[in-house]
Amino acid sequence: TDVPPILEVPLLQMSPLNNAATIVDSNQSLSDDALPEGVEMNAILWQLDVDSIIEEQETIATREAPLNDEFDGMPPPSRRSSTTLDFEIDMSEEVPYHQATTEMSDFMLALELWVQEAGITTDMYIALLEVLQMLDHLSQIQLLPKSLSTLKRNIRTQFPLMKMRKLQLSLNPEKLPTFSVTTKTSPLADAPVAWLYWFDPIHLITTILSAESFQAKLHIGMAELVDEPSELWHSHSWATSIRSCSGEFAHYSDSTSIFPSDVIYHYCREENCACHTTTKHIGRVYAVARDYSKHATVNREITLKIQPLLCPTEIETTIISNLDVPLDARELVYLEDRFSYLSEELIVSREPSVYFNYAYCSRITTTGEGLGNYDRFFVRRVLNSAAHTVRPLNLSSPLRGELEISTFGQQHLVESFQYGNCISVTFLCFIDGFSLYRNMYRTLLGIYIIFAGLNSQEQSRRCNVFPVTLGPHGSKFEDVIGALSSLSRLDQGLQLTINGQQKFVCAYTLAFIGDMPQQQENAGFKRSTAKLGCRFCLIPQKDQGNLRYDSVWNGRYYFETMRLRSKADAQKSKAAKTRFCVEWGLSLQQSPLVRIAPALDIILSRPADPAHSEYAGMARQAHHLLIDAILTAEGRRAYITELQHFRFPPGWGRLQSPLHHLDSFRMQEHGRSSIIIPVLLRCWLQERWIQPNYLMAIWQVSTIDLDLQHASAVESIVHAFGAMAKSNSLLMSHTMTFSDSVQMQESVLHARELYQMLVEAAAVACSSSRSRSQTRSPSPAALTSTSRRGSLPDEFVDIDDIASQTEFNDISFEGRAALPSTKKSEEYQSNKRRPNVHVGVHYNLLATEYGTAYACNVLAGEMAHKFYKKIVLYTNHRNVEWALLARTNIQQTIRFVLAGSYALVDPGFTRQVQTLHDNCLMLFHSVLPPSERILEVDELEIALEGSPHHLDPAAQQRISRKEAMENLNLPAHFHRLAPQDWRLLSLKNAYRLDYGQASIQDVSGLSLAWYKKLSFTDD
């Protein structure tokens, strides 16, 4: 296109900058209409050499800048000409939009505007349509009240709501904000109070047990002995209790009940043993369960787990000779690491005259054994045959049955727990303070119960977490617990009406769960940062980095702890009591939970939570260590890039950038990252990504592990993160195999020792004697030449003080903490002694008590916290405790009305709600758990591993196991499929064609899940 004549001369004779100015000036009086046809002003501007314009502008600015001797040599400031062309090329495009030509009715338009403003979800809209389609006549709409509060009040009065109670509590003024204008002048300003609301526990249990569908989900009865425990009724906590089995006991030959903790005479299974002719064996009933293990003589046979009691003649002379106090002729020794499994027929009789002396060699009581007062036998020592050690009985934990007999009396247990007329309900009691508005300005104390008889999958559902109360902000823990006194009645057991029948119901706490600070308070100990801050052992706070600490001889045990508490309460002054409690790590007051659960071991019934200690603790700290101390700045950027492209397992959610958002990771994100990191590092990490100081330090400290003596720095780091991933997998596993139970203790401790190695290397790298300012950076060639352990390259040696380097090599691993250090180095050293590190010493004990360490996790309770934090935004933020519990009450009432709990109490309302449920399925979607819904929704899906031609596959609309087996005749386990079954052959063929696997692994032990839909994206 030709340039218009009016601009021809300037464009040919002037510089590019002046040409641009001329065009701009001309554009002020020249419109597109004055240009030749087909020529636009933008077309002229596009022909300009923009780079030449900018270059000339900078040249002119430099040439015209005045020189100043005072600033000689300094480049002049850039000066922008007033006539400079200032524009950018617009690369955007218009968003396509097509306005509808058809008109919408006023009702449709109003409804759409309301939907946009309210922001309702798809499920809520479907539910709204279901409700609107029920209208027979518009007159029903005219009957609606104009006030929303009136509508809510009318609805609440229609429901047979669960009973709630309230009590006014005094608040701690120091935790409260400034008062409102009206409160400042009222008496409440001097003595602030608040109402505590809670569900009546007795009515709550009655309602839940009246729902036959829910009761069918509960395991009610005796414990089960299995090879791979996965549920709480597979554990010692269930099998050692008398109250847990709903009156289902083993029996002596005279039909009297055999209780755990009974001392018995019995035969053994060896035919040639003298017990069949002369002297019977004597032992203690440790647990009672039905045997489902592969070693069972008869499947489901009632089996007794017996611990031997040895008389002096049955103990090795080498062990007896090392005793400070000789064995008495009437003394029996408790053998703690040997068990025999016997049927009821091999039990002869009970020995009632055996006294267990838990005061012998006590730290508190050293006299008053009273040997002459023993009727026949006494037990005061425990023998560990594997370690060949004997210790006092007070350094052992009593059985649950033993404490139950001591608390309630054997007569009460015999008379009340009669099979067929008794229901035992056990639950986990989750107690935790949480910030309602994601800050500490408004914290509530949540107390929930989770039924232990539900399987682990059902326990993890938020709908099966039943809130008892929400303690108001500023209330005292002991006041809140004191209001729940009816829990102690359920703990002992009482008569209740269940579906019109009188039943003796014992609903008691199997364990209290919570995070570490809350569990310290639940057990009656000081915080974990105290001088003796562990509730399981007496390790000093400064020694908590010692993972090989003897927690057996130095452990905390029930009877010893109760004696310490009694002595603390007997102190003559408050100052003396304070000193005593500080010395032993006790809180000033006994835990109020003892009043509502007096028969629980105060130590073992407050287990640690692996989700907090491993995910929010160890995994988080290790990830911080990787980013802050191990990787260079360039390495961090490369790590984030690699993480963004790294392939995750099917169904795993995305991770935010840990470089910027690591502190905001949730526990589940820390858990996923702890598994991904070692695999990623194994594939990606190189020594050039590691900080030079850390690379030098890891060479020094990794000698503590024999497996790493000949490993490179990269291999040492990867090995440490891999060990932590294995430890997390064991502690958070739903099932505990026999090999896992054997390896668990060593695996957990080994992972923590390797974590301490990484932290030690970070502390050494940060120490003042090895600061970055004194360390020369290695060359890339030197880094690549040290792929195997050997002498350190010259670049890592402080050439100013080679002798100090030799001395450093001779310092022990523990002694390096004494090196001169920076504040950051001291922080790393303290990380080796964190409570989350030390608690790994005790997980093996807890896994033995509860089947798995995972069994007592708090994830379900945290989900309930999250739900309340979400719905509080829809309240008026006044009296929020009542508002939240009232909403929960309606939801739970609807659920149990549909389950039939009120069929006898209010049959009319039950029929009405069930009819409504049949017509409006989505309306009840958020109230009912997935297992109780009729409608299958698309959200119930599972991600699968894709193939090159099938991307992002997902199975949707899962079919319940009951429907699959009963209605569709589909198997629930692989072992029910014959080798030539077409479904199994099709699956193998799919693996071969889509994944290139000629054969798949053994799946005979896995369960099958059936789905209605399969979706994927074509490549």
Side-chain angles (χ1 to χ4, degrees), residues 650-857:
W652 283 33
R654 299 165 59 187
L655 294 176
Q656 297 298 325
S657 170
L659 199 60
H660 298 284
H661 306 292
L662 183 56
D663 287 331
S664 62
F665 271 23
R666 295 170 295 177
M667 281 191 288
Q668 57 178 314
E669 292 164 328
H670 286 302
R672 292 200 300 268
S673 63
S674 70
I675 304 299
I676 293 169
I677 286 176
V679 183
L680 185 150
L681 294 182
R682 177 67 180 84
C683 302
W684 164 81
L685 186 61
Q686 302 177 30
E687 291 187 350
R688 63 192 180 99
W689 302 127
I690 303 175
Q691 293 190 28
N693 285 356
Y694 193 89
L695 194 59
M696 177 186 68
I698 196 67
W699 273 72
Q700 298 296 319
V701 302
S702 60
T703 56
I704 65 169
D705 193 311
L706 296 178
D707 296 334
L708 302 179
Q709 287 185 349
H710 302 288
S712 66
V714 171
E715 291 171 339
S716 299
I717 295 172
V718 173
H719 181 69
F721 278 94
M724 285 185 278
K726 180 180 179 181
S727 174
N728 287 353
S729 299
L730 286 174
L731 294 177
M732 294 300 293
S733 174
H734 293 246
T735 304
M736 183 68 67
T737 65
F738 177 76
S739 60
D740 288 343
S741 63
V742 172
Q743 301 173 8
M744 179 176 162
Q745 179 77 348
E746 191 57 35
S747 297
V748 172
L749 295 184
H750 181 63
R752 279 163 160 74
E753 287 173 342
L754 292 177
Y755 166 78
Q756 289 179 328
M757 177 194 75
L758 297 180
V759 173
E760 175 71 10
V764 172
C766 290
S767 62
S768 59
S769 59
R770 296 292 179 268
S771 64
R772 290 186 176 91
S773 61
Q774 296 177 345
T775 305
R776 297 174 55 190
S777 298
S779 64
L783 288 174
T784 57
S785 66
T786 59
S787 60
R788 286 292 171 190
R789 184 171 303 284
S791 59
L792 285 174
D794 293 340
E795 286 83 355
F796 286 101
V797 180
D798 190 344
I799 59 176
D800 296 328
D801 191 4
I802 297 179
S804 66
Q805 176 66 48
T806 305
E807 295 172 358
F808 177 81
N809 289 333
D810 295 334
I811 298 176
S812 65
F813 178 70
E814 292 78 6
R816 292 186 187 120
L819 287 172
S821 59
T822 62
K823 184 177 181 180
K824 190 68 174 177
S825 175
E826 293 174 354
E827 180 182 342
Y828 283 129
Q829 291 288 356
S830 66
N831 284 346
K832 293 162 52 180
R833 304 185 300 272
R834 292 175 67 92
N836 287 328
V837 176
H838 169 72
V839 75
V841 176
H842 304 292
Y843 273 126
N844 190 57
L845 172 68
L846 300 176
T848 302
E849 177 70 9
Y850 296 100
T852 63
Y854 173 83
C856 294
N857 74 85

Side-chain angles (χ1 to χ4, degrees), residues 217 449-450 454-466 859-861 863-864 895 928-933 940 958:
K217 298 179 183 179
I449 60 175
I450 307 170
L454 295 172
N455 61 44
S456 58
Q457 182 180 9
E458 289 291 337
Q459 287 183 27
S460 65
R461 302 186 189 278
R462 180 185 58 80
C463 60
N464 290 327
V465 179
F466 297 92
L859 296 179
M863 289 174 59
R895 177 187 179 185
L928 299 177
S931 59
E932 299 175 16
R933 297 174 191 161
L940 299 178
R958 181 171 180 173

Side-chain angles (χ1 to χ4, degrees), residues 34-90:
L35 297 177
E37 183 179 358
V39 178
E40 297 179 357
M41 182 63 65
N42 288 337
I44 300 175
L45 298 181
W46 271 94
Q47 296 180 22
L48 297 178
D49 187 350
V50 178
D51 293 336
S52 301
I53 295 175
I54 296 175
E55 182 179 355
E56 181 178 355
Q57 180 186 13
E58 294 176 349
T59 303
I60 294 175
T62 303
R63 184 173 61 250
E64 293 179 355
L67 296 179
N68 192 325
D69 295 338
E70 185 177 312
F71 299 95
D72 190 17
M74 180 181 295
S78 60
R79 190 156 54 98
R80 193 176 185 86
S81 173
S82 61
T83 59
T84 300
L85 180 66
D86 188 10
F87 67 89
E88 293 182 358
I89 301 173
D90 186 2

Side-chain angles (χ1 to χ4, degrees), residues 462-745:
R462 180 185 58 80
C463 60
N464 290 327
V465 179
F466 297 92
V468 177
T469 187
L470 296 175
H473 178 66
S475 59
K476 298 178 182 179
F477 179 56
E478 56 270 21
D479 292 343
V480 175
I481 299 300
L484 306 178
S485 58
S486 55
L487 283 173
S488 61
R489 296 177 59 196
L490 287 169
D491 191 75
Q492 184 175 0
L494 71 165
Q495 294 288 331
L496 296 178
T497 302
I498 307 296
N499 290 330
Q501 297 181 355
Q502 285 291 317
K503 295 284 186 179
F504 179 82
V505 177
C506 180
Y508 72 97
T509 305
L510 190 73
F512 293 98
I513 59 176
D515 58 15
M516 185 174 293
Q518 184 62 53
Q519 287 292 71
Q520 293 291 120
E521 186 173 5
N522 292 345
F525 295 104
K526 292 188 177 298
R527 291 297 179 100
S528 55
T529 55
K531 177 183 176 182
L532 297 179
C534 179
R535 65 182 180 277
F536 299 109
C537 68
L538 297 169
I539 187 171
Q541 198 276 335
K542 60 183 180 62
D543 296 332
Q544 287 191 359
N546 179 12
L547 295 174
R548 302 297 171 173
Y549 182 79
D550 192 343
S551 60
V552 176
W553 280 89
N554 300 290
R556 292 188 190 269
Y557 300 97
Y558 173 77
F559 284 109
E560 194 72 355
T561 301
M562 298 306 287
R563 276 192 290 270
L564 287 172
R565 175 61 62 186
S566 297
K567 187 167 184 178
D569 294 339
Q571 298 297 312
K572 296 182 179 180
S573 65
K574 184 177 180 180
K577 182 178 181 179
T578 301
R579 288 193 299 270
F580 184 86
C581 290
V582 169
E583 179 184 359
W584 292 101
L586 302 175
S587 58
L588 285 177
Q589 302 297 329
Q590 173 65 287
S591 170
L593 298 178
V594 173
R595 298 199 296 268
I596 63 175
L600 289 184
D601 184 335
I602 202 170
I603 307 299
L604 291 182
S605 63
R606 277 71 166 174
D609 171 44
H612 275 92
S613 68
E614 305 308 298
Y615 289 170
M618 296 292 297
R620 177 177 177 271
Q621 290 298 320
H623 207 165
H624 267 296
L625 189 69
L626 175 67
I627 293 176
D628 298 339
I630 299 178
L631 299 178
T632 62
E634 185 180 359
R636 288 192 288 270
R637 290 190 292 269
Y639 166 69
I640 297 302
T641 302
E642 187 70 19
L643 181 63
Q644 290 170 344
H645 295 84
F646 196 77
R647 186 176 182 180
F648 286 11
W652 283 33
R654 299 165 59 187
L655 294 176
Q656 297 298 325
S657 170
L659 199 60
H660 298 284
H661 306 292
L662 183 56
D663 287 331
S664 62
F665 271 23
R666 295 170 295 177
M667 281 191 288
Q668 57 178 314
E669 292 164 328
H670 286 302
R672 292 200 300 268
S673 63
S674 70
I675 304 299
I676 293 169
I677 286 176
V679 183
L680 185 150
L681 294 182
R682 177 67 180 84
C683 302
W684 164 81
L685 186 61
Q686 302 177 30
E687 291 187 350
R688 63 192 180 99
W689 302 127
I690 303 175
Q691 293 190 28
N693 285 356
Y694 193 89
L695 194 59
M696 177 186 68
I698 196 67
W699 273 72
Q700 298 296 319
V701 302
S702 60
T703 56
I704 65 169
D705 193 311
L706 296 178
D707 296 334
L708 302 179
Q709 287 185 349
H710 302 288
S712 66
V714 171
E715 291 171 339
S716 299
I717 295 172
V718 173
H719 181 69
F721 278 94
M724 285 185 278
K726 180 180 179 181
S727 174
N728 287 353
S729 299
L730 286 174
L731 294 177
M732 294 300 293
S733 174
H734 293 246
T735 304
M736 183 68 67
T737 65
F738 177 76
S739 60
D740 288 343
S741 63
V742 172
Q743 301 173 8
M744 179 176 162
Q745 179 77 348

